[in-house]
Amino acid sequence: MILYAITDRRLHPSGDLLEQASSLIRGGVDWLQVREKDLCDAALLGAVRILSQEARRFGARLLVNGRPDIAAMGGAHGVHL
């Protein structure tokens, strides 16, 4: 079985994307899709850079929703279109 999660920071008690995504990665997801359509480019890229490193450290794969440019620059495994 594959565990696939999609972020939505508004559903996390703190509202913090990095906190939510990090807990999912550390919790054992196989794939994490970062789907935060309302974040500005700089904030999204910064988060993807941090999360791509953490995903690799824990054996997860990181996808970015709809932004191949951010996925490539941030070191994600791929993009969800």
Side-chain angles (χ1 to χ4, degrees):
M1 179 173 22
I2 294 172
L3 187 56
Y4 188 105
I6 302 170
T7 67
D8 185 344
R9 69 186 189 287
R10 294 170 297 203
L11 296 177
H12 193 272
S14 72
D16 184 83
L17 170 60
L18 290 175
E19 191 174 317
Q20 179 193 46
S22 180
S23 67
L24 290 166
I25 290 169
R26 291 170 185 264
V29 298
D30 299 299
W31 290 88
L32 179 63
Q33 179 180 334
V34 177
R35 186 177 187 268
E36 302 292 334
K37 295 180 178 185
D38 60 337
L39 278 182
C40 71
D41 293 353
L44 182 58
L45 178 58
V48 169
R49 284 183 170 151
I50 292 167
L51 294 172
S52 66
Q53 292 176 358
E54 188 165 11
R56 282 180 172 76
R57 200 170 41 231
F58 285 89
R61 297 200 177 233
L62 187 72
L63 299 175
V64 179
N65 195 80
R67 296 295 306 268
D69 56 335
I70 298 290
M73 288 187 293
H77 291 93
V79 62
H80 181 277
L81 297 174

